Amino acid sequence: MSRALTVRSVTLTLAALVGMTPLLVRPAHALPKYRLQAAAQLHLNDGFELWELDRRVVPCTFCHVNAEGGAPWNPFGQAIQATFAREAAAGRHLTFPRALYTLLQADTDADGDGYADALEIFARTLPGDPASVPDRPPAEVRAAFEKAGGVTRYAPPRKDK
């Protein structure tokens, strides 16, 4: 085999391997910034040292219909979008933490299951899925929620100046 043919074979083999790398290596899926913010703001990461590695802490289905995220949005995701739109129309620009808090302060029930969104978050159920409800009646969950500080517990973290 000639040297030129060997060099060409090695070059083609390397090029093929580099081209196939995305198919062979599964990329690391870091949690998006808004999920990191939500987990801390909503105290969903409490008690989980490695929560950033566990997608169950704030699953995509918190706001999306599909477990992988993307469109379509579930009722809670749509409520967050509507909060951004409503506030923008009023001339207010919100960050994601502020929009989330504004929505929770409204004490709405996006999925219509009888539990306000803040109560579902407190009980660690999905506020956008009507089949995901706390295992206690709404009044009991509300009493425990208020005793724990109510909606103010979900206020955005203050930035140190």
Side-chain angles (χ1 to χ4, degrees), residues 137-153:
E140 283 184 36
V141 177
R142 171 116 13 226
F145 177 64
E146 295 302 333
K147 185 175 180 181
V151 75
T152 59
R153 66 184 277 115

Side-chain angles (χ1 to χ4, degrees), residues 29-94:
H29 294 287
L31 293 179
K33 181 179 177 180
Y34 56 87
R35 285 176 67 187
L36 294 173
Q37 291 171 336
Q41 181 178 348
L42 302 176
H43 308 284
L44 298 173
N45 58 350
D46 290 353
F48 295 101
E49 278 188 45
L50 300 175
W51 68 271
E52 292 168 318
L53 304 176
D54 191 341
R55 292 183 158 298
R56 293 172 296 179
V57 171
V58 182
C60 291
T61 52
F62 213 77
C63 298
H64 302 269
V65 171
N66 300 317
E68 300 80 31
W73 295 77
N74 68 30
F76 186 67
Q78 291 171 7
I80 293 172
Q81 290 175 325
T83 300
F84 274 114
R86 184 179 55 255
E87 295 296 312
R92 293 182 290 273
H93 172 74
L94 300 182

Side-chain angles (χ1 to χ4, degrees), residues 12-38:
L12 288 174
T13 302
L14 286 174
L17 287 173
V18 168
M20 290 177 48
T21 298
L23 301 173
L24 299 173
V25 178
R26 186 172 181 192
H29 294 287
L31 293 179
K33 181 179 177 180
Y34 56 87
R35 285 176 67 187
L36 294 173
Q37 291 171 336

Side-chain angles (χ1 to χ4, degrees), residues 118-141:
L119 296 181
E120 289 211 59
I121 292 167
F122 178 73
R124 296 187 183 244
T125 59
L126 299 174
D129 179 355
S132 175
V133 295
D135 59 359
R136 298 179 290 166
E140 283 184 36
V141 177

